[in-house]
């Protein structure tokens, strides 16, 4: 299966809102399989959204501590409980930053065949699902930071021009 290149954090394509998947076809299954191969191609990878590999569709894959899978057209229900923990992005490798997110998530969507899927996640996996869902909406995790923190993060994440 093809391992795809991951777009850099400053790529404008990451700011676009991904389109809903309408066709559950061979092309979608190929995308999910190649995204899964891309996720597994490096150590410490927990999630990947289709926009990160240049595909503007609402698809994400995840793998963390034995829980792995994919969601097509995901919708998230977030718990009120929040927790701050370090977070990273495959589009800005090697940079971790503390971010406050919901501790628990119920994610509903479909699998690559169009069958309904529900994922209940706590802790890190909940964080991964929120992070990847943000990518589907053109939101980067730095957007959740205060202005000062965002400036410091971007100075670390983006190559100086």
């Amino acid at each position: 299966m093809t391992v795809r290149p991951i777009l850099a954090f400053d790529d404008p394509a990451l700011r676009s809102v991904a389109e809903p998947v309408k066709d559950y076809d061979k092309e979608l299954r190929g995308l999910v399989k190649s995204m899964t191969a891309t996720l597994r191609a490096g150590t410490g990878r927990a999630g990947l959204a289709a926009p990160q590999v240049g595909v503007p569709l609402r698809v994400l894959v995840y793998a963390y501590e034995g829980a792995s899978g994919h969601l097509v057209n995901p919708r998230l229900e977030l718990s009120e409980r929040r927790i701050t923990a370090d977070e990273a992005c495959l589009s800005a490798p090697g940079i971790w930053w503390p971010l406050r997110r919901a501790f628990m998530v119920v994610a509903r969507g479909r699998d690559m065949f169009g069958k309904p899927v529900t994922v209940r996640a706590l802790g890190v996996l909940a964080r991964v699902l929120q992070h990847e869902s943000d990518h589907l909406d053109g939101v980067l995790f730095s957007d959740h930071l205060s202005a000062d923190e965002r400036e410091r993060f971007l100075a670390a994440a983006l190559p100086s021009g």
Side-chain angles (χ1 to χ4, degrees), residues 75-110:
R75 298 171 322 281
L76 271 54
E77 299 167 21
L78 308 177
S79 68
E80 289 185 27
R81 181 178 172 200
R82 300 286 190 253
I83 188 167
T84 300
D86 282 348
E87 191 164 319
C89 182
L90 295 179
S91 293
I95 300 172
W96 292 80
W97 216 267
L99 184 63
R100 188 170 175 83
R101 291 226 190 237
F103 177 71
M104 186 181 84
V105 167
V106 176
R108 299 180 201 288
R110 303 224 172 243

Side-chain angles (χ1 to χ4, degrees), residues 59-142:
V59 178
L60 64 83
V61 297
Y62 62 90
Y64 183 75
E65 291 189 349
S68 64
H70 65 277
L71 286 166
V72 178
N73 298 332
R75 298 171 322 281
L76 271 54
E77 299 167 21
L78 308 177
S79 68
E80 289 185 27
R81 181 178 172 200
R82 300 286 190 253
I83 188 167
T84 300
D86 282 348
E87 191 164 319
C89 182
L90 295 179
S91 293
I95 300 172
W96 292 80
W97 216 267
L99 184 63
R100 188 170 175 83
R101 291 226 190 237
F103 177 71
M104 186 181 84
V105 167
V106 176
R108 299 180 201 288
R110 303 224 172 243
D111 70 10
M112 64 180 144
F113 301 101
K115 294 179 185 171
V117 175
T118 300
V119 178
R120 288 172 171 65
L122 302 171
V124 174
L125 184 55
R127 178 173 296 278
V128 168
L129 294 174
Q130 291 169 80
H131 180 106
E132 302 313 330
S133 290
D134 275 354
H135 276 301
L136 303 180
D137 292 326
V139 175
L140 301 176
F141 87 95
S142 59

